[in-house]
Amino acid sequence: QVQLAESGGGTVQSGGSLRLSCAASGSTFGCMAWYRQAPGKGREGVGVIDNAGRTIYADSVKGRFSISRDLAKNTLYLQMNGLKPEDTATYYCAAKRFYNSRYCSPRTIDGMDFWGAGTLVSISS
């Protein structure tokens, strides 16, 4: 049974940093990703990473967020720096069992096979 468990959410002041983790179990994955959903808005992609370590980020987080992955631990990370109030959202870890360039993209919302329950990140101004 595949499980994705996010951790590391919380409340920080604007300009601060947070590091989210996603512990995966039950499978290996060709693509892993972070998505987020702000209150009253739809889900949006934050970024993705494949098994080769290649990353793609949404324009809104480029230069501030960094995705990394520990294949040995089957764990995904999201380092968030320079946080802004508009980054307030529930952040979700997602994974696709086999890599597919069409779906391994922050622009694709419905291409992932598995999703975590989410962790709330709140940025105060």
Side-chain angles (χ1 to χ4, degrees):
Q1 181 180 0
V2 173
Q3 290 187 324
L4 302 176
E6 303 96 336
S7 61
T11 301
V12 297
Q13 289 190 328
S14 181
S17 298
L18 271 178
R19 188 194 196 203
L20 305 183
S21 299
C22 172
S25 60
S27 180
T28 57
F29 307 101
C31 177
M32 296 191 76
W34 289 99
Y35 290 81
R36 67 185 181 183
Q37 187 165 14
K41 295 188 177 181
R43 192 167 295 189
E44 66 170 350
V46 174
V48 301
I49 186 168
D50 65 19
N51 273 352
R54 293 173 297 198
T55 53
I56 306 173
Y57 297 97
D59 288 344
S60 58
V61 305
K62 277 181 184 176
R64 299 188 299 123
F65 290 13
S66 177
I67 294 175
S68 61
R69 188 175 175 186
D70 187 327
L71 293 176
K73 295 182 178 179
N74 211 6
T75 300
L76 179 71
Y77 302 98
L78 178 64
Q79 178 66 44
M80 303 185 292
N81 299 325
L83 284 161
K84 306 174 182 179
E86 51 264 42
D87 294 318
T88 294
T90 297
Y91 284 71
Y92 297 91
C93 171
K96 189 163 184 65
R97 201 186 297 273
F98 300 108
Y99 176 78
N100 183 310
S101 60
R102 175 180 177 183
Y103 296 112
C104 193
S105 166
R107 298 181 183 84
T108 304
I109 302 299
D110 59 356
M112 293 295 160
D113 300 324
F114 308 101
W115 291 82
T119 185
L120 180 62
V121 172
S122 180
I123 312 303
S124 61
S125 56

